[in-house]
Amino acid sequence: MEHEVFVPVPAESLRRVLADPARVARCVPGLQQDADGESGPLSGRLKVRVGGHTITYRGALRITAQDGGFAVEGEGTEARGPGSVKLSLTVRLAESDGGTTLHFAGTARGEGRIAELDDASALAAAERILERFADRLGAEPADEAVAEPESVRGEEPGEEPGEEPEEGSGEGSGDARADDTAPSTVFETEVPPPSLDVLAEAEFEPLDSPLDTPL
């Protein structure tokens, strides 16, 4: 099998993406990666649609740089059945006007459900996967820089981002305590001791409540 796909992206940018298995995994159509990641970023379940049928394989892909291009090796077994498939593919990049032409060449051997389908359907499905893969490669950023979180920029060493000083501590804590103890209304004002009140001996009619005093 041989197939070519044009991508409007410089070849060097595509090479950087192909050299990163984690980003390659995002470009493989139908790939659902293993949650634990123990088998590598290119392992998991791959759904392939061929001639109106959908076949799910469990397996892994390996991609390595080779002679200015890349070699892809993959194998998988049917998730529901005894069938299996093996893939051997080379990817070469050629500079073109306005972008890069990707040359795919290789072979695939399958047993089980894939072997029961006609060759034309299998070839059409393979070419469709390669075209979608190439389109995603072109859309994938060539470089992924990790931005420093805004919340930690400009912070002093040992200071937690956004941390406010504790109430009642540090400079100005005396003013804060004074404000806390200040009465909020005239009815909360403490009455001086009788010994300081010159009118302490005077007799007044008691009132039921300060609020009952007529205005």
Side-chain angles (χ1 to χ4, degrees):
M1 177 193 69
E2 294 187 4
H3 193 58
E4 292 185 354
V5 183
F6 174 78
V7 181
V9 174
E12 188 58 34
S13 296
L14 294 179
R15 286 192 180 93
R16 287 197 291 269
V17 176
L18 287 168
D20 188 338
R23 283 182 279 177
V24 171
R26 296 199 291 259
C27 300
V28 178
L31 176 63
Q32 181 180 356
Q33 295 176 260
D34 289 333
D36 53 17
E38 292 181 357
S39 300
L42 289 175
S43 65
R45 299 165 64 94
L46 179 66
K47 289 186 177 181
V48 180
R49 188 168 181 82
V50 184
H53 301 271
T54 300
I55 308 174
T56 301
Y57 293 96
R58 292 190 60 86
L61 292 172
R62 295 173 297 278
I63 181 168
T64 55
Q66 183 182 77
D67 298 333
F70 294 86
V72 181
E73 300 288 336
E75 57 185 13
T77 57
E78 291 181 14
R80 297 180 180 179
S84 62
V85 66
K86 290 186 177 182
L87 170 71
S88 180
L89 189 69
T90 59
V91 184
R92 299 192 180 280
L93 296 78
E95 294 281 359
S96 302
D97 292 338
T100 306
T101 299
L102 296 175
H103 299 269
F104 298 96
T107 59
R109 299 184 302 275
E111 298 177 352
R113 294 179 61 189
I114 192 70
E116 298 172 359
L117 304 175
D118 60 273
D119 294 340
S121 297
L123 179 60
E127 292 177 349
R128 182 170 61 251
I129 292 175
L130 293 178
E131 289 171 0
R132 293 176 60 192
F133 175 69
D135 289 341
R136 294 186 180 187
L137 280 178
E140 183 73 15
D143 298 297
E144 290 188 343
V146 179
E148 183 181 2
E150 292 289 341
S151 59
V152 299
R153 293 180 183 175
E155 300 289 346
E156 293 295 331
E159 180 182 359
E160 292 293 332
E163 182 179 4
E164 296 291 338
E166 293 184 6
E167 187 175 345
S169 63
E171 186 176 356
S173 60
D175 294 339
R177 287 192 295 270
D179 292 341
D180 290 342
T181 57
S184 58
T185 67
V186 294
F187 300 104
E188 297 177 4
T189 306
E190 295 184 3
V191 179
S195 59
L196 300 179
D197 193 345
V198 296
L199 300 178
E201 302 296 330
E203 297 181 357
F204 295 93
E205 290 290 335
L207 297 177
D208 294 337
S209 169
L211 297 178
D212 294 333
T213 304
L215 299 176

